[in-house]
Amino acid sequence: MEEKSQTTCEKYAADIFSIREAQVRIKSFVHRTPVLSSETLNSIAGRKLLFKCECFQKGGAFKFRGACNAIFSLDDGLAARGVVTHSSGNHAAALSLAAKLRGIPAYIVIPKNAPKCKVENVKRYGGNVIWSEANMQSREETAAKVVKETGAVLVHPYNDGRIISGQGTMALELLEQAPQIDTIIVPISGGGLISGVALAAKSINPAIRVLAAEPIGANDAAQSKTAGRIINLAETNTIADGLRAFLGDLTWPIVRDFVDDVITVDDKEIVEAMRLCYEILKVAVEPSGAIGLAAVLSDNFRRNPTWKDCSHIGIVLSGGNVDLGVLWDSFNK
């Protein structure tokens, strides 16, 4: 498939060219993750499903792509100051690991309710943990304080062109590995992953469908698409801890213009999708990572005539950092 030009690419924080540059920049650091399939799951879904296993990425999630691109984009002077971010999990670990590879400090602001397994990943990769309260205002204020005190460079978890470009490299790989895909289903939270995926995929194949998968208990993206503007929720309630953020001013225009629809599912459907990943694919996937499969199997998708022709679907298994305690509790409810 030939790449198509984005006539309005100047409107967006990233484009196919920055994504291609990111692919070259991070190639020696990231894993080219496998694409798996299962005849059993195909039969259950009634469609061909191809799973892009970012749960096998370094750090256990796709986030390493964006973090790596952001850190290796810095000139030596800026890099020497270190980097800072605020994150509840996978981005925190990814940035810590990427910073370790470049030999620079990483200051990671983490909310007190972050999953223990993800906090341990940050520490394992050498990140300096700074705690904040479990709300966005506290996270951002604490990160700003660290920037002021250290001079480190802020790398936002998703609302950053370098992050978006890095995440988009996953779509380049997926369409090289499975060019027959006509639809890609991607988890959505802050929008960094789906922004990169949508920009890359639709540049290569303008006819491809890009659908977002979102928990009902954190359905700000679905509401935003309906309203035509960013909607922030007063609170979120979902087992998918990686999908509780809200769209940013850089990700929203891309989601608005390139994402075809948002499919919402409840936590019970997410947990069942996790179970299927374990039992059939033999892959450990966190709730946020399983939501794409949950979306394909949901009534919201199956009964929508708009998507009846989606026959070869790429599903992003975005991460595998599971908080087992929470998972077992959810199975027993």
Side-chain angles (χ1 to χ4, degrees), residues 167-205:
Q167 316 306 27
T169 64
M170 190 213 65
L172 299 182
E173 282 185 15
L174 175 58
L175 292 179
E176 289 169 1
Q177 294 164 309
Q180 71 272 32
I181 285 173
D182 56 48
T183 306
I184 303 178
I185 299 184
V186 187
I188 191 167
S189 183
L193 173 60
I194 200 167
S195 292
V197 168
L199 288 169
K202 287 186 180 274
S203 292
I204 294 169
N205 176 12

Side-chain angles (χ1 to χ4, degrees), residues 204-217:
I204 294 169
N205 176 12
I208 201 167
R209 304 170 180 95
V210 178
L211 304 177
E214 185 174 51
I216 290 174

Side-chain angles (χ1 to χ4, degrees), residues 71 74 77-84 99 104-107 150-155:
I71 281 184
L74 297 173
L78 283 176
R81 302 180 190 176
V83 289
V84 60
I104 63 175
Y107 306 97
T150 64
V153 178
L154 179 67
V155 180

Side-chain angles (χ1 to χ4, degrees), residues 41-108:
L41 290 176
N42 289 348
S43 177
I44 293 171
R47 311 167 195 254
K48 298 289 186 180
L49 307 181
L50 297 118
F51 297 90
K52 180 61 169 167
C53 296
E54 285 295 290
C55 47
F56 297 148
Q57 188 53 259
K58 289 182 181 177
F62 75 94
K63 291 282 191 177
F64 184 66
R65 295 177 182 271
C68 210
N69 188 50
I71 281 184
F72 285 94
S73 295
L74 297 173
D75 65 40
D76 290 342
L78 283 176
R81 302 180 190 176
V83 289
V84 60
T85 196
H86 58 85
S87 169
S88 62
N90 285 335
H91 174 72
L95 199 72
S96 298
L97 177 55
K100 182 179 181 180
L101 290 174
R102 188 156 183 186
I104 63 175
Y107 306 97
I108 312 297

Side-chain angles (χ1 to χ4, degrees), residues 9-330:
C9 64
E10 67 275 8
K11 292 169 52 182
Y12 308 109
D15 56 36
I16 187 62
F17 306 109
S18 66
I19 294 168
R20 287 286 186 198
E21 289 172 354
Q23 186 178 44
V24 173
R25 183 177 293 118
I26 69 177
K27 183 177 181 180
S28 63
F29 301 104
V30 302
H31 291 318
R32 183 180 173 91
T33 54
V35 174
L36 301 182
S37 62
S38 161
E39 288 302 322
T40 300
L41 290 176
N42 289 348
S43 177
I44 293 171
R47 311 167 195 254
K48 298 289 186 180
L49 307 181
L50 297 118
F51 297 90
K52 180 61 169 167
C53 296
E54 285 295 290
C55 47
F56 297 148
Q57 188 53 259
K58 289 182 181 177
F62 75 94
K63 291 282 191 177
F64 184 66
R65 295 177 182 271
C68 210
N69 188 50
I71 281 184
F72 285 94
S73 295
L74 297 173
D75 65 40
D76 290 342
L78 283 176
R81 302 180 190 176
V83 289
V84 60
T85 196
H86 58 85
S87 169
S88 62
N90 285 335
H91 174 72
L95 199 72
S96 298
L97 177 55
K100 182 179 181 180
L101 290 174
R102 188 156 183 186
I104 63 175
Y107 306 97
I108 312 297
V109 176
I110 301 180
K112 293 177 180 177
N113 66 341
K116 182 179 179 181
C117 66
K118 296 184 178 181
V119 176
E120 290 304 313
N121 280 345
V122 172
K123 294 178 179 178
R124 186 177 300 117
Y125 298 136
N128 301 293
V129 174
I130 300 110
W131 296 103
S132 74
E133 297 302 319
N135 61 72
M136 189 58 67
Q137 180 179 349
S138 176
R139 285 169 51 161
E140 291 177 345
E141 289 177 351
T142 305
K145 182 179 178 182
V146 175
V147 169
K148 185 176 181 179
E149 291 175 349
T150 64
V153 178
L154 179 67
V155 180
H156 195 277
Y158 52 86
N159 203 47
D160 184 306
R162 300 163 299 183
I163 294 292
I164 294 169
S165 297
Q167 316 306 27
T169 64
M170 190 213 65
L172 299 182
E173 282 185 15
L174 175 58
L175 292 179
E176 289 169 1
Q177 294 164 309
Q180 71 272 32
I181 285 173
D182 56 48
T183 306
I184 303 178
I185 299 184
V186 187
I188 191 167
S189 183
L193 173 60
I194 200 167
S195 292
V197 168
L199 288 169
K202 287 186 180 274
S203 292
I204 294 169
N205 176 12
I208 201 167
R209 304 170 180 95
V210 178
L211 304 177
E214 185 174 51
I216 290 174
N219 67 344
D220 60 292
Q223 291 191 39
S224 298
K225 286 284 280 184
T226 299
R229 59 183 177 86
I230 295 178
I231 299 292
N232 290 332
L233 307 178
E235 61 181 6
T236 58
N237 182 19
T238 176
I239 190 176
D241 60 275
L243 303 181
R244 295 172 184 162
F246 303 138
L247 296 166
D249 63 340
L250 299 183
T251 57
W252 162 242
I254 303 170
V255 170
R256 179 194 64 208
D257 296 347
F258 288 87
V259 175
D260 295 287
D261 202 356
V262 181
I263 304 162
T264 57
V265 296
D266 63 31
D267 278 10
K268 184 177 179 182
E269 292 172 299
I270 293 172
V271 171
E272 178 59 22
M274 292 177 69
R275 188 192 300 273
L276 292 172
C277 288
Y278 277 105
E279 293 182 352
I280 298 174
L281 279 185
K282 312 303 181 187
V283 173
V285 182
E286 64 189 84
S288 305
I291 196 171
L293 177 57
V296 166
L297 301 180
S298 70
D299 287 343
N300 286 344
F301 184 74
R302 289 175 183 265
R303 295 180 180 177
N304 189 334
T306 305
W307 313 124
K308 62 182 176 61
D309 295 328
C310 298
S311 58
H312 292 79
I313 301 176
I315 296 175
V316 179
L317 302 182
S318 57
N321 294 312
V322 185
D323 188 326
L324 291 177
V326 173
L327 176 61
W328 303 147
D329 288 346
S330 70

